[in-house]
Amino acid sequence: MINKVILIGNVGADPEIRTLESGVKMARIRVATTERIYNREAQESRDHTEWHSVVLWRNLADVADRFIRKGSQVYIEGRLRSREWTDQQGVKRYSIEILADDLKMLGRRSDNPSAGQPLSPQGGQQGYGGQPSQPAYGGGYGQGGNASYSGGGYQPQQPAQTPAAPEVNLDDPDDLPF
Amino acid sequence: MINKVILIGNVGADPEIRTLESGVKMARIRVATTERIYNREAQESRDHTEWHSVVLWRNLADVADRFIRKGSQVYIEGRLRSREWTDQQGVKRYSIEILADDLKMLGRRSDNPSAGQPLSPQGGQQGYGGQPSQPAYGGGYGQGGNASYSGGGYQPQQPAQTPAAPEVNLDDPDDLPF
Amino acid sequence: MINKVILIGNVGADPEIRTLESGVKMARIRVATTERIYNREAQESRDHTEWHSVVLWRNLADVADRFIRKGSQVYIEGRLRSREWTDQQGVKRYSIEILADDLKMLGRRSDNPSAGQPLSPQGGQQGYGGQPSQPAYGGGYGQGGNASYSGGGYQPQQPAQTPAAPEVNLDDPDDLPF
Amino acid sequence: MINKVILIGNVGADPEIRTLESGVKMARIRVATTERIYNREAQESRDHTEWHSVVLWRNLADVADRFIRKGSQVYIEGRLRSREWTDQQGVKRYSIEILADDLKMLGRRSDNPSAGQPLSPQGGQQGYGGQPSQPAYGGGYGQGGNASYSGGGYQPQQPAQTPAAPEVNLDDPDDLPF
DNA sequence: TTTT
DNA sequence: TTTT
């Protein structure tokens, strides 16, 4: 009924970007979360790092492509999704990924090396690159103009990779009663 | 950047339902969350109940209207929203509400008295009532045919109160690569 | 930095209970979360069920033992934890579990069949069983007296399985300034 | 039953620090969360900033005092808590705060101006200041030596402001079976 | 393997 | 493989 994951951590490597034949863009990142773990008997503590496989689709993949680099600190909200696959030896394997529903870049813009220069050579950014006068995601993130996108909405008429409606979540309080 | 509230609690009274002239439906509920609070000095504990004002719009309002009754146990995910208003003495008041993005009915169907018989007399349910052969929300809730709706998506072409797309959040894993 | 999982779902089978030689109690449950998944092209939807392995320790294990049965609806908050192990063929395997930090029983008490009669034959409940006059967790859950325990606190002086401090998190607002 | 708030945002001013006669330290901060809000009719969007009052106690207050400055980006997890008070005109007022259970500093250390130099003149840090050889919170934050504290645990024997057990939640995986 |  |  509810299957929710919230991560804040650092990305271990530049994102892997793929674009399917259908034109749908996908990104995969590895996110590290480190926590201090306590041993009550020994009165000791040490750090434990957990690595998470996160998959992002469409606009979230595009934000990942454009803004995430090795070392970036990110907020991810998503769902656990198990996947079955067959390895090279023909053995059935089973893995768990986090399917992202939201992504936010954390820290200040200056924290992110070379943000804004997409890594992927497939040229998935035509929609953005040609518009110097109106940067699709604000030309940065942080407080005001943030580089984020809340995915997941049911958006039938919206072509993939269109910069419209970057951050999901409701309507104008001036026009609508809230 | 992130403003998220998650509540699980019981509803203190039947929902207040309103339909605006524009046809947009709204519901308001009061949700109680009780927690045990500890006094470390006295080694005592006691319960504290916090009451939350939750506002739901459109399809979420409709689910609230149809399934929530006094005593219902609900899951709410939403955002904090402050509101300024002027009371009858002309004094400026300020209140905080939770604007719901998701609602799930908890417990078994039998837990909810008279679920399925909407309270609101305004007749906001025409879209559902005339379809005995295809109950809009499964005639119940729980996990299969669930009485829930994740709101918030950017849904320009979707007329208010249409039962389509009840639970936001993605696409068919058979057709899409996840 | 943040590694948080929130689940609401139904338990697929009675919990597996183990007590280590050290006296530490552990429970393992499988929790199903079902969500509706949408195919935007086909305008179709179908349900997907994800199964989650949840591990609970100490007091949380005890609550699981006493109140969770096949079919129970539960709220779990925890962390993702990967584990490496070697299967019977000597192949290295890797699995992911959710290490619970909080557990709440959802629905009304009557929803849970035979709650209160621990399944585990190991007799780990001596601390509770001998007190018919003062049921350790309120003789039920739901609104007021809830069968829950928020684990995780650093509780050096607290012997395992002592019913003290069921729901972690704070002090008396009368004595402390909040 | 569950009353949880998760915020990521920027702090509007240096924290207000108070130490009670009992020696218990408290901090209050204002956190801004900005979100883009969409007007489906007008196909427009604009930003809305919500300000949150967050109260932190004991070790969390101390971390706030030492590391939070105007502009800091923070992660807060906590609970909604309403408070009644009487204003200067004798009118009963009612406000809502977020009582923090967890705090993490986001971004890189260099993002936070003058971190490590506590603002509060009350000298609440004696416990830390006198230990140049073993900085209580690593002299920085981030994931390794992080400036955070997950509050809330039931910690009867633990004197306030002792640096012990900074991040609640569990034991050594080498010694304990998880 | 749950739930509806 | 990140971060400090």
Side-chain angles (χ1 to χ4, degrees), chain D residues 3-62:
Chain D
N3 169 2
K4 186 177 289 292
V5 178
I6 290 174
L7 302 178
I8 295 177
N10 295 284
V11 175
D14 289 347
E16 293 171 45
I17 307 291
R18 263 181 65 203
T19 304
L20 307 184
E21 295 128 42
S22 62
V24 174
K25 196 174 187 174
M26 180 204 131
R28 183 180 298 273
I29 56 175
R30 297 274 292 168
V31 177
T33 57
T34 300
E35 66 173 319
R36 184 132 293 192
I37 292 187
Y38 295 93
N39 176 343
R40 57 182 82 177
E41 276 81 29
Q43 296 274 35
E44 286 171 1
S45 68
R46 60 193 198 79
D47 285 341
H48 167 75
T49 296
E50 188 77 34
W51 285 95
H52 309 270
S53 234
V54 178
V55 178
L56 307 105
W57 288 96
R58 303 169 202 274
N59 300 46
L60 285 183
D62 199 59

Side-chain angles (χ1 to χ4, degrees), chain B residues 15-131:
Chain B
E16 292 171 45
I17 307 291
R18 262 182 66 203
T19 304
L20 306 185
E21 298 128 39
S22 62
V24 173
K25 198 172 186 175
M26 179 204 131
R28 184 180 297 273
I29 57 176
R30 296 275 292 168
V31 177
T33 58
T34 301
E35 68 172 317
R36 183 131 295 192
I37 292 186
Y38 295 92
N39 176 344
R40 58 182 82 176
E41 275 80 30
Q43 296 273 36
E44 285 171 1
S45 68
R46 58 193 200 79
D47 285 340
H48 167 74
T49 294
E50 188 78 34
W51 286 94
H52 310 270
S53 235
V54 178
V55 178
L56 308 104
W57 289 96
R58 303 170 202 272
N59 299 48
L60 285 182
D62 199 59
V63 172
D65 185 22
R66 302 177 73 219
F67 296 107
I68 292 179
R69 293 294 173 279
K70 179 180 174 171
S72 294
Q73 192 182 42
V74 296
Y75 166 89
I76 297 282
E77 184 179 337
R79 289 166 267 169
L80 290 168
R81 192 70 98 210
S82 57
R83 264 200 324 143
E84 248 187 321
W85 49 286
T86 311
D87 71 11
Q88 310 207 342
Q89 280 74 44
V91 180
K92 232 176 197 169
R93 297 295 191 136
Y94 165 88
S95 69
I96 292 188
E97 299 168 338
I98 292 154
L99 173 57
D101 291 312
D102 196 1
L103 159 66
K104 306 281 187 217
M105 304 301 300
L106 300 178
R108 290 163 188 269
R109 178 162 174 61
S110 59
D111 289 351
N112 258 44
S114 69
Q117 300 168 178
L119 281 176
S120 77
Q122 297 97 317
Q125 288 69 37
Q126 322 89 330
Y128 300 96
Q131 308 180 31

